[in-house]
Amino acid sequence: MKDKDFAINNEEQITLTRDNVSSAVIKRLPRYFRYLRILIREGKMRISSAELSRRMNITASQIRQDLNCFGGFGQQGYGYNVTYLYARICELLGVSAGFQAVIIGGGNLGRALAKNEMFEKRGVDVVAIFDVDEALVGTTVNDIPILHIDEFERYAATHTVDMAVLTLPKAQALEMAQRIAETDIVGIWNFTGQELDSVDGNLIVENVHLGDSLMTLNYRLNSRNKE
Amino acid sequence: MKDKDFAINNEEQITLTRDNVSSAVIKRLPRYFRYLRILIREGKMRISSAELSRRMNITASQIRQDLNCFGGFGQQGYGYNVTYLYARICELLGVSAGFQAVIIGGGNLGRALAKNEMFEKRGVDVVAIFDVDEALVGTTVNDIPILHIDEFERYAATHTVDMAVLTLPKAQALEMAQRIAETDIVGIWNFTGQELDSVDGNLIVENVHLGDSLMTLNYRLNSRNKE
């Protein structure tokens, strides 16, 4: 089975960031993070680019090039120091930054995310969930309190919140993003499918387009059927 | 606001498929699909690569190159025929193939997906949800019946199912993938975070790593904080 790990969404433009790390490398960092976690769990102290290449299905030369970008220089005959690389990637990715998140939308998707250990693994603390449904307000999901959306501005003004995870219906996404833009919250993790580009130049929006991933699977099934 | 639409997961290897459409182009197709849908909804019959470039935040030359790959030739002074391009991309992506899907795992994520119009929009029919929970069996989500997981093999043998959407806990993913491999189901849309590469060479697995997207947002927030 060839697992392509196709992207949910893509912009292939290669731009250089402040740190001279290209956006293409940045896009691969979370993947290195995942594989390095596994190596650490296995107690592996060092790894060659060849072995990492086999595991990650990326060419060894690509790996060397990527890791050199942020100072992960392998040593001939020794390979890479796994713990050092992991720490460096955590630092770049802000895993140790202690970000706090709120989830806006306590429906099935919001609840699924609230229960997901992904946040904890990546150093993000989910501190509250907001919803309009009076029946949900006052309950908790995974020990995270559900608050009424009317409380949002007051909460944002009195707590440190770095990102809002938008899992509310698409029709309400734009208005909510405008409300967020008026608080100190900078990041939006957007599951709504609504384009939020034009809301506010200070917001950092990360879109999840699950439909794009589904389409890629469709494409691969369709190509296979034609063979 | 610069919306990067960063990828959930990435493999940058450029390989040519049977149709000589590179995997990098294929990865961008779902995005073209989304934007062309919007154009059709707006009643737009044709579009120049320059305008599409502005909307999609991809360079015009990249767009021309991509669309040429599958015969979407723009005409000088006219631009691209939106309906033709959309139809061609639908065909390539298998939107009209009438794929049928089952969701395995009737928890919050499975239910969120079952209610999501994304499947319908992309021509995929969700025909059943499977779960172990006796309390869920016999109920429906969005008119889709929840069946007991013990019924899975019998259902797969008597229905046409093209893909299984795995939303069950990670710990059960490997065993479930093995059960799927023994049926005629070829596609797995994998939300479990469990690597399923080694299960069966005939399976087509599309992984969704939401954590990678979260990490990209972390990175961008972290970079901004340092500025």
Side-chain angles (χ1 to χ4, degrees), chain A residues 1-13 15 17-19 21 23-24 26-31 33-35 38 41 56-59 62 90-95 97 99 107-109 111-113 115-119 121-124 162-163 170 186-189 191 195-227, chain B residues 1-13 15 17-19 21 23-24 26-31 33-35 38 41 56-59 62 90-95 97 99 107-109 111-113 115 117-119 121-124 162-163 170 186-189 191 195-227:
Chain A
M1 181 172 61
K2 184 68 177 57
D3 175 343
K4 284 278 187 190
D5 272 353
F6 268 111
I8 292 293
N9 208 318
N10 287 283
E11 287 186 28
E12 298 291 323
Q13 294 142 311
T15 52
T17 66
R18 247 179 340 101
D19 299 326
V21 179
S23 63
I26 292 162
K27 289 199 290 180
R28 280 191 291 270
L29 284 185
R31 217 161 161 250
F33 171 82
R34 259 193 290 124
Y35 279 86
I38 295 169
R41 215 179 302 137
M56 293 184 64
N57 198 21
I58 294 181
T59 65
Q62 179 75 80
C90 283
E91 188 193 322
L92 278 166
L93 290 177
V95 171
F99 288 132
N108 285 308
L109 181 57
R111 303 172 83 83
L113 292 174
K115 289 176 184 169
N116 197 308
E117 56 184 7
M118 152 185 72
F119 286 101
K121 276 187 182 170
R122 280 150 185 91
V124 176
D162 302 284
M163 66 175 83
K170 185 177 182 176
V186 171
I188 292 185
W189 200 19
F191 284 81
E195 295 278 345
L196 300 174
D197 292 51
S198 52
V199 175
D200 188 295
N202 286 318
L203 288 176
I204 297 176
V205 179
E206 175 73 18
N207 294 311
V208 176
H209 290 294
L210 291 177
D212 286 8
S213 171
L214 175 61
M215 289 299 265
T216 308
L217 180 56
N218 273 10
Y219 173 83
R220 294 166 69 194
L221 286 171
N222 204 35
S223 303
R224 160 100 118 213
N225 288 352
K226 280 190 200 147
E227 270 169 18
Chain B
M1 178 172 63
K2 185 69 177 54
D3 176 344
K4 284 279 188 191
D5 271 356
F6 269 112
I8 293 293
N9 207 317
N10 289 283
E11 289 187 26
E12 297 292 323
Q13 293 142 312
T15 52
T17 66
R18 247 178 341 101
D19 298 326
V21 180
S23 63
I26 293 162
K27 288 199 290 179
R28 279 192 291 271
L29 283 185
R31 212 156 166 254
F33 170 81
R34 259 193 289 122
Y35 279 87
I38 294 170
R41 216 179 301 136
M56 293 185 63
N57 198 21
I58 294 181
T59 65
Q62 180 75 78
C90 283
E91 188 193 321
L92 277 166
L93 290 177
V95 171
F99 287 132
N108 284 308
L109 181 57
R111 302 172 84 84
L113 292 175
K115 289 176 185 170
E117 55 185 8
M118 151 184 72
F119 285 102
K121 277 188 182 168
R122 280 149 185 91
V124 176
D162 302 284
M163 66 175 82
K170 185 177 182 176
V186 171
I188 291 184
W189 199 20
F191 284 80
E195 295 278 346
L196 300 174
D197 294 49
S198 51
V199 174
D200 188 296
N202 285 319
L203 287 177
I204 296 175
V205 180
E206 175 72 17
N207 293 312
V208 176
H209 290 295
L210 290 177
D212 285 9
S213 172
L214 175 61
M215 289 299 265
T216 307
L217 179 57
N218 273 8
Y219 172 84
R220 292 167 68 194
L221 286 172
N222 203 37
S223 302
R224 159 102 117 215
N225 288 351
K226 279 190 199 147
E227 270 168 16

Side-chain angles (χ1 to χ4, degrees), chain B residues 44-49 73-84:
Chain B
K44 224 168 157 68
M45 300 300 284
R46 55 187 193 170
I47 190 161
S48 65
S49 52
F73 299 104
Q75 282 170 43
Q76 194 74 38
Y78 176 86
Y80 291 94
N81 179 319
V82 171
T83 316
Y84 171 79

Side-chain angles (χ1 to χ4, degrees), chain A residues 19-73:
Chain A
D19 299 326
N20 274 357
V21 179
S22 80
S23 63
V25 178
I26 292 162
K27 289 199 290 180
R28 280 191 291 270
L29 284 185
R31 217 161 161 250
Y32 284 113
F33 171 82
R34 259 193 290 124
Y35 279 86
L36 287 167
R37 274 183 82 90
I38 295 169
L39 292 174
I40 286 173
R41 215 179 302 137
E42 291 173 359
K44 224 167 155 71
M45 301 299 284
R46 55 188 195 170
I47 190 160
S48 65
S49 52
E51 189 180 346
L52 200 52
S53 163
R54 272 193 304 277
R55 284 182 177 237
M56 293 184 64
N57 198 21
I58 294 181
T59 65
S61 75
Q62 179 75 80
I63 287 173
R64 285 190 295 270
Q65 198 182 311
D66 284 351
L67 301 187
N68 279 354
C69 277
F70 51 91
F73 299 104

Side-chain angles (χ1 to χ4, degrees), chain B residues 128-144:
Chain B
I129 300 166
F130 291 91
D131 204 286
V132 288
D133 186 350
E134 301 281 1
L136 292 178
V137 172
T139 65
T140 63
V141 177
N142 195 18
D143 291 331
I144 305 160

